[in-house]
Structures are given as C-alpha cells and as structure tokens.
Amino acid sequence: MDAMKNKFWFIQTYGCQMNESDSERYAGQLEALGYHKTEDMELADVILLNTCCVRETAEGKILGKIGELKHLKERNPALLIAVTGCMAQEWQDRLFDRAPHVDLVIGTHNIHQLITLIEERQKASDHYLAADMDIPAFHDLPAKRFQKFFAWVPIMNGCNKFCTYCIVPYVRGREVSRPVADIVKEIRQIAAEGYKEITLLGQNVNSYGMDLKDGTDFSYLLQAVDAIDGIERVRYMTSHPKDMTFAMIDAIAASKKVVNHMHLPIQCGSDELLKKMNRGYTTDHYLELAAYARKRIPDLVLTTDIIVGFPGETEAMFQDTLHLLKRVQYDMAYTFIYSPRTGTPAAKMPDQIPQEEKSHRLQRLMDVQNVFSLEHNQSMEHQVYDVIVEGPTKNDENNWFGRTTGNKMIIWENDGTAAVGDTVPVAVDKGQTWVLKGHLVH
Ligand code: SAH
Ligand code: SF4
Ligand code: F3S
C-alpha cells in the first residue's frame, strides 16, 4: 500500500450509549494505527459496524447494512469490514456464513484486540473471530471522543438481572464494575480537556460496585465524581427500580452536579407481568421511589421505558400500564413492541401476542403518553433554562439546539452570539410534544 496515501475509518454505531462509548474506543485504536475519520463509507479502508441485537428490528437493519457492504468489498478487496458489539457476540462465526465478505467479528469483551486482528487479517487471508467473554471486560484504551463537550464514561459492563425478555446479559456477560479510581482518573482527564458534561454508563448503574465487594456503591461513586472540578453536569444511565435506593436518591439530591433527570424504566404497570418479566419489584415500590425522587430532586424530569405485548399480556394488564402512565405522568417514555429473542425465556412463553395487536397497543400507549409529554413541555413555557449549546439542528442550519439539565432539547434561532459548548440561558416560548422552542436571553 502507498505509504503516503491517507487511510480512512468509518464507524456506524447501533444500539445504546454503551455502544457509542465502545465505538469511541474502537476509533481511538484506528487513529493509533494512522487511520483518519471519514463520513463517506465509500472512501473508507476500514468499515466497522458496532451492532445491537436487543430487538429484531435492530438486527434486521444491521443485516441489511452488512449485505450492502458486499459491493464495496468487491470493488476494493483491500477494504476491511469488522462487525463488532452485541450482535457480533450473539452470531459469532455464523456471521461469516451469512456474509463471507466480513473480515472480523469482534465480541463485547474483545474491543482491545482490534489492532492485532487488523494486522493479522492484513498478513493472511483468513477471517478472524474474537468473541470470548471469559476475559476482563475493561481495557485501558484511548477513546477518540465523537463529541467536544459531552463525554461517555462507562462505569460497568454486563448485567446480572436476566429480565426474561432481554438478550443483554447473554451478549454483555456478567456485571463487572470499573474501580472508582479508574473512573475518577478518566473524568479528571476529561475535565482537563474541557468537557462540560459526562454520562456515567451502565446497564444498571444502581448495582455499581456490588461485585467489587469493598463497600463501594453508586452513592459513593456519585460523591467521588461530584467532587471533580471542571465538570458542569453529571448524568447517569440506566437506573433499575430494584436496585435504586432511597439513599442513592439522597446522594443525587445532595450533589452539586448530578442532573435532575432520572431514567427509571418500569417496563409495564402490571405486577403479574413484572413478575413474569423477572423485574424484581412491584408497581407500589416503583411509585414510592418515583414519589421520593420527585420530593428530593427539584424539577425532576422522569423518563421511562415500556414494553407492550409481552407474552400473556391481557387487555386488563395493558390497561394497568396505561393507568400507571397516568399516575406517574412521565416527561417521556421510550416505548417498545416486545420482540422475542432466541435464547431468552420469554421467547418460549405461551400466549405470544399477535403483531397487529402489539402495534395497536403501542399506538394507544403513545396516545396516552404524548398528552403528558406535551403538558410537561408546555409547563416550561415562559421560564428560562441553562442550556449547553450543541449546535445547528439536522434540518436547519439557522436553528440551534441544546439541552437543559433535565435533558430537554430546546431549539432557538441562531443569532451568532452563542458558540457550541457555551452554557447559555434560553427562554422557552413554546412547549411541543418532543421539543421546546425558545430564544436566547441576552
Ligand atoms: N438495562 C436497561 C436497558 C436495556 S435495553 C434497563 O434495564 O432498563 C433498553 C430497553 O429495551 C429496555 O429497557 C426494554 O424496555 C427494551 N427491551 C429490551 N429487550 C427487549 C425486547 N426483547 N423486546 C422489546 N423491548 C426490549
Ligand atoms: Fe436487560 Fe433487564 Fe439487564 Fe436491563 S436490567 S439490560 S432490561 S436484563
Ligand atoms: Fe443493544 Fe447491546 Fe446496548 S444489545 S441496547 S447495544 S447493550
């Protein structure tokens, strides 16, 4: 290969923030190898798809994308195609059977092997698979961060909860917490580099530290992180109602930087179904947590995840979910149609709900939730919020946006006075279901 020629990487990320964060660590390795970023897949020397398999829709989309890459490989046999992440972990070498043009399949614990695998692949003509979960989940890797003022900080990997519908524990392995000292070191560096906001990432942040067996827990971590100078906002994702404690809510309330947004997935409003889902809490317990959080954290923005059409969900159970939405009145709910995942207990449960009924329930659920989303956003009208400027919106260069501490997106007409990364006061003029419109306060 021409030594003078620039080499490019292209990464597409699917799934959750954990994958976003992993992608940054893949990018860091590619940069170390001398590759540069390209937005144009056609120009890339390495294409990496960092995948998700949480629902069938995600998997279908990714398989389609992998298929599309075939013609690029035919045109340029030197092109290196890597499929990484949760779907790679699930499919292993079956992916080579399905798509022989894929060069590398890399699982969730093998991120650090990218450089070696690329080198091996360039020497030989074989495919390579690295998807062994019996190795440490965290490796000291440089991240090439995709954003300038917002940084992901993984605090743990894996999940021990085994909700009966969910594939994550099978593809991410058991819970492993990163030591507090490593996390604090990374955040200090992030702060020194000028980042303003961090998000602590884990499938279940509230069980952080349990495996360390030294008394460390999420409250302790929050206190340690809160004390780091330079960071303005600390977010955390995702909370689990079984492991979230009142003491953790107190720690959030007592902190200076931990934001007033809590994402607390309930999944459904029926105790019977929660049991079948193996969620480990009742709706009563959930409501107590939510009420306590609202009492202790001023202006709390509460969001959730809901699954409709879990096997055996009757109309009455679905009504319980609608009722719960009306009681809690979330700021926003991420709503999903139950998707059977091979290997999970729920996929084999009786009384699977027909697709049409699932879609109909999803629509009814969204109709109920949208009213509350709109009401919450309208209640913010004529008030001023501090927003960290993220830049122009996708559709219109003149409209800029940023987020409040509660993670609400506000859009305003850019007058050139606010720069990306500034924290500025924005007055809300109009609350809509998904977004707020406002103007900069001068
Ligand atoms: N660990 C987090 C989120 C994991 S995945 C948590 O426990 O909340 C994000 C969301 O995807 C879940 O909260 C759930 O609502 C949804 N989800 C997971 N598996 C699913 C499945 N098989 N079908 C539909 N939705 C699913
Ligand atoms: Fe999946 Fe449940 Fe773990 Fe969340 S807590 S990742 S839904 S098994
Ligand atoms: Fe998907 Fe894996 Fe995240 S399955 S939701 S990318 S942990």
Side-chain angles (χ1 to χ4, degrees), residues 162-164 268 270-282 310 349:
F162 288 95
C163 303
T164 51
C268 79
S270 149
D271 285 333
E272 198 182 328
L273 221 50
L274 282 173
K275 230 184 208 151
K276 281 195 185 168
M277 290 178 167
N278 190 32
R279 288 290 290 179
Y281 53 84
T282 60
F310 185 81
M349 285 182 186

Side-chain angles (χ1 to χ4, degrees), residues 340-355:
R341 305 279 64 207
T342 309
T344 62
K348 290 197 226 84
M349 285 182 186
D351 304 320
Q352 300 281 330
I353 310 294
Q355 193 61 30

Side-chain angles (χ1 to χ4, degrees), residues 54-55 165 203 238 265 267 279 305 307 336-337 339 341:
V54 77
R55 281 170 291 274
Y165 51 81
Q203 290 302 339
T238 293
Q267 310 299 357
R279 288 290 290 179
D305 290 349
I307 297 178
F336 306 105
I337 287 184
S339 171
R341 305 279 64 207

Side-chain angles (χ1 to χ4, degrees), residues 325-346:
L325 284 187
K326 288 174 190 160
R327 279 192 71 175
V328 183
Q329 306 200 359
Y330 293 103
D331 284 84
M332 179 139 84
Y334 298 87
T335 51
F336 306 105
I337 287 184
Y338 166 71
S339 171
R341 305 279 64 207
T342 309
T344 62

Side-chain angles (χ1 to χ4, degrees), residues 205-235:
V205 292
N206 311 100
S207 69
Y208 170 79
M210 283 182 188
D211 57 306
L212 296 174
K213 302 205 170 19
D214 62 358
T216 308
D217 70 357
F218 187 54
S219 303
Y220 178 82
L221 178 69
L222 284 181
Q223 283 162 16
V225 171
D226 198 52
I228 299 173
D229 287 335
I231 296 293
E232 215 170 278
R233 295 176 179 177
V234 176
R235 300 189 184 282

Side-chain angles (χ1 to χ4, degrees), residues 206 239-244 264-266 279-281 285-286 289:
N206 311 100
S239 295
H240 193 299
K242 178 164 193 274
D243 295 326
M244 172 66 92
L264 193 62
I266 182 145
R279 288 290 290 179
Y281 53 84
H285 178 66
Y286 185 98
L289 282 173

